[in-house]
Amino acid sequence: MRVFVTGATGFVGSAVVRELIGAGHQVLSLARSDAGAKSLVAAGATVHRGSLEDLESLRSGAAASDGVIHTGFIHDFSKFAKSCEIDERAIEALGLALAGSDRPLIVTSGTGLLTPGKVATEDVAAPPVSPSWPRASEQAAVQVGSRGVRASVVRLPPSVHGEGDHGFVPMLISFAREKGVSAYVGDGLNRWPAVHRLDAAVVYRLALEKNIPEVRYHAVAEDGIPFREIATVIGRRLNLPVVSKTQEEANEHFGWFARFAAGDLPASSEWTRERLGWQPKQPGLLADVDQPYYFGSAVASVV
């Protein structure tokens, strides 16, 4: 297949490009910069210049392809609502180019806020769009599906890890370095699901190849790792104390991230594994975070 990939230079998207090419697919990759285009050519992909805000570039890229994997998202939490609007319009544009065909559209979402405190499964619908959670990726997928697009969703857990990670775990490392302690909230038994980026990429490929519309897949390799165990690895690596914080103290320590640090967000992928025949093969989160590449630098941004 000739597959159009958005977010192709990102942490997850670049792994998807690698996985697709390794499986014999051709990849048309969205790139907005010369540096991004150069890296994609080096990976063996064909470059399609444009951006998530350039809707015509999205429509033409999708129209020239046998299927689309949408991993692109502008990860700016200071303008999160705006990023969500851009994402929704991008999905609508991609869907417009695919409507009435049998070509698949794979949309990216997350497991994080589905059923806090309970194991989230694939049959659970996304929470309603609201001012506190404006992301409408799944709702947009449903909308384009109603117009004849074979749309499905891949949900990612809060921790997608691997070399080059600049997401939540590097943020925790930055907090620990800045504050002089590696912290968790309360008893630290709240659970974080996780997946290695290379394992997640396989889910996208399999979802594309299966081309089953109106389904949700969970790219979750580990259902829920106690947050305290993540903090313990970070503390040991940085030679810092590992300490418990009350919720009030956590607000001071983690800032806006305190909500996530205290979240009990387990998720299952049993249905996904059965339906796709997916078996994660990469190292788990704790083993991965224990690697030196996580501690060369810690970038306080989320992608």
Side-chain angles (χ1 to χ4, degrees), residues 102-132:
D102 62 355
R103 294 174 293 164
L105 169 62
I106 314 300
V107 171
T108 302
S109 183
T111 67
L113 297 177
L114 292 175
T115 53
K118 299 179 181 179
V119 177
T121 54
E122 293 90 341
D123 61 328
V124 175
V129 176
S130 67
S132 63

Side-chain angles (χ1 to χ4, degrees), residues 210-224:
K210 289 287 187 180
N211 192 10
I212 304 171
E214 301 179 13
V215 296
R216 297 179 286 260
Y217 299 105
H218 282 189
V220 174
E222 297 174 283
D223 290 8

Side-chain angles (χ1 to χ4, degrees), residues 161-165 169-170 173 177 196 230 233-234 236-238 282-297:
H161 57 91
E163 188 167 6
D165 184 0
V169 169
I173 294 170
R177 283 179 163 147
H196 194 284
I230 303 170
V233 173
I234 293 171
R236 174 168 52 77
R237 271 286 179 178
L238 295 178
Q282 302 299 323
L285 177 62
L286 295 179
D288 202 17
V289 174
D290 209 9
Q291 299 305 307
Y293 49 73
Y294 263 100
F295 297 89
S297 62

Side-chain angles (χ1 to χ4, degrees), residues 22-54:
H25 298 291
Q26 298 177 359
V27 176
L28 181 65
S29 299
L30 185 69
R32 69 177 186 272
S33 69
D34 291 341
K38 184 177 180 180
S39 70
L40 290 168
V41 170
T46 300
V47 172
H48 181 79
R49 295 304 292 261
S51 71
L52 295 180
E53 295 179 88
D54 181 354

Side-chain angles (χ1 to χ4, degrees), residues 255-267:
W256 67 267
F257 189 70
R259 176 186 182 187
F260 293 94
D264 186 34
L265 309 171

Side-chain angles (χ1 to χ4, degrees), residues 52-55 70 72-91 129-137:
L52 295 180
E53 295 179 88
D54 181 354
L55 300 185
H70 176 52
F73 190 82
I74 300 172
H75 294 274
D76 183 351
F77 273 72
S78 68
K79 301 176 181 177
F80 187 57
K82 178 65 174 178
S83 296
C84 294
E85 291 176 9
I86 293 169
D87 180 56
E88 184 176 12
R89 288 196 294 268
I91 293 169
V129 176
S130 67
S132 63
W133 187 252
R135 189 161 187 178
S137 308

